[in-house]
Amino acid sequence: MRLELSRTTAIATILALSGAFANSASAAESLQDVMKRRNLSEKDMLAAAKTYTPSGGRDEFLTFSSSGHAGSIIVYGIPSMRIYKYIAVFTPEPWQGYGFDDESKALLKAGSPQGQTINWGDTHHPNLSKTNGDYDGQWLFINDKSTPRIAVISLKDFETRQIVVNPVLTNEHGGAFVTNNTEYVMEASQLPSPLGHKYAPLDKFNDEFRGGITYWKFNKDAGKIEQENSFTLELPPYSQDLVSSGKGPSEDWAFLNSFCSERYVGGIESGKPPFEAGCSANDTDFMHIINWKKAEAVFKAGKFTKINGMAVIPLKTVIDEGLVYLVPEPKSPHGVDVSPDGKFVIVGGKLDSHGSVFDFAKMKAQIDAKKFVGKDAYGFPILDMKESLHTQVALGLGPLHNQYDSKPCVVYTSLYVDSQIVKWDYCQGKVLDKIAIQYNVGHLLTMGGDTMHPDGHYLVALNKLSIDRFNPVGPLHPQNHQLIDISGDKMELLYDLPIGLGEPHQAVAIRADKLKPTIRYKYGTDSRTEEESKFAVRPGSEKIVRTPGKVEVFGTVIRSHYNPEIVEAEEGDQVTFHWTNSERAEDETHGFAISQNDVNLSLEPGKTASATIEHAKAGVYPYYCTEFCSALHLEMEGYLMVRPKGSAIEKASTNVGTVYTKADFDKQYKACLDTQSVIDKVVAYITSTNFKDFPTAVGQVEDATDQLKFGTEARAKADDYAKKEDWQNATLWAGQWWQYQVKAADIGLRTKTYLEQNGARTVK
Ligand code: CUK
Ligand code: CUA
């Protein structure tokens, strides 16, 4: 339950607190001083109190927003509006190693049309997997409008798992929308084209060009789209737009908008009016009412042809089997959104000032009675518009997208031209409230707004322009997401989030407690497939395998070294590194960059990733860690030595650098013994508490124990060499023992602080 402070109580509390501070002896500014200095009103303070999240605090909701043609997904929290992550999807992203390790390169290649790797995408609509119409927190999908593709992202590790290319359509817009139980991910075309990437001249537009909607079968357990179980419905060459799945009573159906049902083909260069004129001539376009459940049965009965390996149900079969019906909708519609109870479909008409509420039961009755007012040019039955409508409400100029509230019958619609959001009652057909937005709003986002049980609370306006809202950063402005409180009767603007990637179209938000991401990978996981990597090795079994023309490194990384550190190769060799991060500690990620090469890996705890240099050029290539992983991070380094063709292999040199004596060894050894007594004290403190009740502390203790174990091994080596009076190796191994001690002490102190701050008790 959310604690709702009334406005006056909140302000009284803030002022009382500020009074308390003013009375204190410190010279710190009071709240009133700050308000005055920064010119903040009480309303601002209230908005701040509703969004401000103290250090270490958590958000109530997580948002997944498209980044538009930046090709990724932006993750941010609500109400704090703090950005957490950019999930790389269609576009390479070096921090995550995405598009730079062999595994993700393979994923991007498999997700590109044959013969090329496409390194960007135009993301529009992220959508979350659903079970019984509500988010289940497992999978995320997003579409690429430019190259018709759908990506699957795992919410276990927030990584892209799969990209599928549509072999039939040339572009799309109506993706990635899911059916009520994520049986299918829907993807509808936008610009009509000959199916299957064929050529046909534009004067054959009516006969050879087509639209289509693909039903990608999703296997929820495997987290995979199965192309062999997917099918496409051939549709008339209208510009199909967005699609919304039915729910409850309409669960077997989907609703797909279209514009340009005029089938106009522009040609401004030859004196014709542009597309925009010819595509908005008619008063109405067609909403497609799709019986996908029946289409699935038709597909399973084998009534399809195959185009480029994809099952396509031909136009005639679609009509004959009663898979798609049309109903006129106000011209150039955009948003189509099914209500939480599945009874209504609300359509926004970009060039119409109404929100049109279609009644599913009324449409279904006409379909069942085969009562049609006519057919389109291809023979699709058309329902009566008036008889299909529940109501139409004058909302304002340019209604685009709709999102539902947790309150029954309440919906929010963006008004693109008016730059406003309108809150209205779609049952009674009346406007309830309006709020101004900066500027030209597109999609809206309410919490769980497209599920059967929306959470309410907040609304985000995904604006198209930010004009004068932020410090200028050049002609390309940040994108602007505006957070609005919708818990009361009046909408209240709370916060502006400038986003430095664009252009975000749609976003979805899920209650944070529905997500259970992992903290570390199972040892040796290929994160791009989530399967065990065949290249993983355990510490102690690292190896370099040489075959003619090839060097393959199977190594491990841990604070703060690579094993191996020196790798020899010959000019022209193919050199592959497979690294496994053998850390168990939370957030102990290492990187791997090789100078002068397009290589950077992100190695999270437990992960295995690979990088290949196809034809090594002679030279010295330092490699190093790109994440500041410990105090000795800068020392986490190595060399790839590529000797000129034909020269002999060299051993890593041991006779360079400082020479150590017995005195050096004794000094280092004493430092280790002193450090050990500090560690013993920290250990004594931790074990005197109930640290076992804190999973975070338990994880840290395990990690520290690992480090101490490695330290003991290094100490044994130092002792051995000391016995042989090899002071060089004895000193270096004693130094390594000390490195492990420092890491263990660091973790130990972190644990001590954590326990103190989280109220651990003494138990013995
Ligand atoms: S679209 Cu961009 S504002 Cu692609 Cu859903 Cu409407
Ligand atoms: Cu590993 Cu820095």
Side-chain angles (χ1 to χ4, degrees), residues 706-718:
D706 280 352
Q707 297 293 328
L708 287 174
K709 192 184 103 224
F710 299 140
T712 311
E713 287 161 12
R715 178 185 189 170
K717 285 184 186 163

Side-chain angles (χ1 to χ4, degrees), residues 560-580:
S560 278
H561 54 263
Y562 295 99
N563 186 356
E565 292 186 323
I566 312 291
V567 173
E568 301 265 357
E570 193 180 12
E571 184 176 4
D573 279 353
Q574 183 201 59
V575 183
T576 301
F577 289 90
H578 307 289
W579 293 114
T580 300

Side-chain angles (χ1 to χ4, degrees), residues 123-125 143 145 173 175 177 190 241-242 334-335 400-401 416 441-443 462 464 503-506:
T123 59
H124 279 238
H125 307 110
N143 68 321
K145 174 170 169 166
H173 190 209
F177 299 97
Q190 183 176 326
D241 199 20
L242 305 182
H334 191 40
L400 283 194
H401 291 288
Y416 179 83
V441 54
H443 273 274
L462 283 69
K464 297 298 168 192
E503 174 208 306
H505 289 263
Q506 192 199 44

